[in-house]
Amino acid sequence: MDPASLSLLAVTLLATKFGEGLAVQAGQNAWAKVQGVTQAVRERLSRSEPQREALAQLDASPEDQDRRAAVVAHLRHELESDEEFAATIEDLVASADRDPGARTLIATARDNAKQAVIGRDNLGPITFS
């Protein structure tokens, strides 16, 4: 996956606040895989003050597209400058994507959707605003 797409996907996962509610439906193993992606990104972007500040601003307003774009830019730079880190993030995303429970979370982040339909006991769509 190219660094631009991978950084956008990872930051979308990082910025989502819907995870806690979906973790029960998706399964704890699936949620742990998604958290693996976000933890790796957070660790990497904690190396410099501008990156830490961008993360803090995103945490304060996760729906703010400008704040997401700032973190995406930082992460894209890291992915483009470090092939090993890029491979790690890509492997984490691929591992999560192979998990049936996480697949919906990954697809939601990948497609930048506003709605995800979760199987099993869900009687209708869950809309994120």
Side-chain angles (χ1 to χ4, degrees):
M1 185 179 297
D2 67 283
S5 299
L6 188 57
S7 60
L8 182 60
L9 171 61
V11 171
T12 301
L13 288 172
L14 180 76
T16 56
K17 296 296 181 186
F18 61 83
E20 293 82 8
L22 295 183
V24 173
Q25 289 187 11
Q28 292 303 320
N29 188 44
W31 183 242
K33 289 181 179 182
V34 170
Q35 286 298 291
V37 174
T38 63
Q39 181 179 4
V41 169
R42 283 186 181 281
E43 285 177 11
R44 182 59 172 240
L45 296 183
S46 68
R47 294 180 174 188
S48 76
E49 184 57 35
Q51 291 174 341
R52 285 191 298 273
E53 180 64 26
L55 279 174
Q57 289 179 355
L58 180 63
D59 287 340
S61 298
E63 297 302 320
D64 186 308
Q65 294 304 311
D66 291 336
R67 291 179 180 191
R68 283 189 187 201
V71 176
V72 167
H74 286 295
L75 181 57
R76 182 177 179 177
H77 173 75
E78 294 295 322
L79 294 171
E80 290 175 341
S81 63
D82 186 340
E83 290 180 15
E84 186 176 329
F85 176 63
T88 297
I89 296 299
E90 190 163 6
D91 288 346
L92 288 167
V93 168
S95 175
D97 201 22
R98 287 189 297 272
D99 187 296
R103 192 169 295 132
T104 299
L105 299 175
I106 296 291
T108 299
R110 181 178 289 128
D111 297 334
N112 201 20
K114 295 290 184 190
Q115 185 178 71
V117 178
I118 311 299
R120 295 191 298 242
D121 296 334
N122 181 38
L123 300 175
I126 301 169
T127 304
F128 307 105
S129 54

